[in-house]
Amino acid sequence: EAQVTQNPRYLITVTGKKLTVTCSQNMNHEYMSWYRQDPGLGLRQIYYSMNVEVTDKGDVPEGYKVSRKEKRNFPLILESPSPNQTSLYFCASTPGRGRDTQYFGPGTRLTVL
Amino acid sequence: AQSVTQPDIHITVSEGASLELRCNYSYGATPYLFWYVQSPGQGLQLLLKYFSGDTLVQGIKGFEAEFKRSQSSFNLRKPSVHWSDAAEYFCAVGLPGYSTLTFGKGTMLLVSP
């Protein structure tokens, strides 16, 4: 089954404790993205990747890092989480640019205390 | 930069009544246009998309949307709403050659008996 998976689905952590949210897709898509969703703000893009070892900032990259060492995986790293990073995070992948459908993972709800 | 406006934060519709959710975009040319739905606790599912051609597009679950270039709008419609349509709906735009989507802030649809 074609899918985007994220782990963990739920995470509660404390300020400053490094964490990684994993994202994996099995569709051989070149493009992957991370979004955060906050009430009243919709989804905002954090980072995206156009291929292995090629990443770029989205609209809200501060406080986040990503890596793309393999085509299927695109982890999101919070090296020193803060409470304002409490949010719902979605990973997405798409085969191409622009017109192709983005496939979203189920989301990771992160709470930073 | 492109932007997407969904003027209605919440909409309540009676079951069986018709529905129209508004979406306006700001961009110099015609972007790619999408509607996604997010059911409670779920990820995002694509309802329909528009690239070019016929300005009335059909999607899944009985939804349709009409692109109006003169109004920079891409409104979502459904002739008869079902209780299972209660969800949050997001309009999004993508640009040719880019894998990034810009989302509106969403419209929460409530369906009353």
Side-chain angles (χ1 to χ4, degrees):
Chain A
E1 179 189 356
Q3 61 181 349
V4 179
T5 57
Q6 295 178 227
N7 282 292
R9 294 288 313 278
Y10 302 90
L11 179 61
I12 301 175
T13 189
V14 296
T15 299
K17 185 175 181 182
K18 181 179 179 180
L19 65 93
T20 299
V21 183
T22 64
C23 173
S24 182
Q25 50 95 4
N26 63 0
M27 296 168 278
N28 202 36
H29 289 169
E30 288 191 355
Y31 300 91
M32 298 185 74
S33 300
W34 276 103
Y35 295 86
R36 61 178 288 173
Q37 182 181 15
D38 301 289
L41 298 178
L43 281 84
R44 295 175 292 168
Q45 191 180 54
I46 303 170
Y47 268 94
Y48 63 96
S49 169
M50 292 165 281
N51 213 325
V52 175
E53 302 290 3
V54 182
T55 64
D56 206 349
K57 298 177 180 178
D59 297 322
V60 288
E62 294 77 20
Y64 303 94
K65 287 177 58 177
V66 293
S67 69
R68 188 91 180 274
K69 299 189 187 313
E70 306 167 279
K71 197 171 187 178
R72 64 183 293 128
N73 296 323
F74 189 44
L76 179 69
I77 303 157
L78 286 72
E79 297 220 327
S80 184
S82 62
N84 64 11
Q85 293 178 299
T86 293
S87 187
L88 179 59
Y89 292 87
F90 288 101
C91 180
S93 73
T94 179
R97 297 186 179 189
R99 63 169 58 197
D100 291 309
T101 299
Q102 295 226 5
Y103 295 84
F104 285 83
T108 295
R109 185 164 294 281
L110 172 65
T111 301
V112 183
L113 302 175
Chain B
Q2 70 275 15
S3 66
V4 182
T5 301
Q6 293 180 247
D8 304 304
I9 299 174
H10 296 97
I11 281 186
T12 300
V13 175
S14 298
E15 190 168 16
S18 64
L19 168 70
E20 183 169 29
L21 301 182
R22 296 182 290 165
C23 173
N24 294 95
Y25 66 89
S26 173
Y27 183 58
T30 300
Y32 301 140
L33 297 160
F34 305 81
W35 275 100
Y36 282 85
V37 60
Q38 184 181 29
S39 298
Q42 303 295 314
L44 281 83
Q45 180 182 24
L46 180 70
L47 285 175
L48 47 77
K49 56 188 177 183
Y50 172 79
F51 304 140
S52 64
D54 192 346
T55 57
L56 185 63
V57 294
Q58 303 297 321
I60 63 172
K61 304 185 180 188
F63 286 92
E64 67 178 25
E66 185 172 13
F67 168 63
K68 292 186 177 180
R69 184 188 306 275
S70 61
Q71 298 176 20
S72 297
S73 69
F74 188 56
N75 294 348
L76 182 71
R77 301 194 295 245
K78 186 169 185 178
S80 178
V81 168
H82 187 262
W83 64 266
S84 60
D85 294 323
E88 191 160 21
Y89 292 79
F90 292 94
C91 181
V93 301
L95 300 181
Y98 292 86
S99 62
T100 299
L101 288 181
T102 298
F103 284 84
K105 294 181 179 181
T107 297
M108 182 67 72
L109 173 65
L110 306 174
V111 180
S112 61

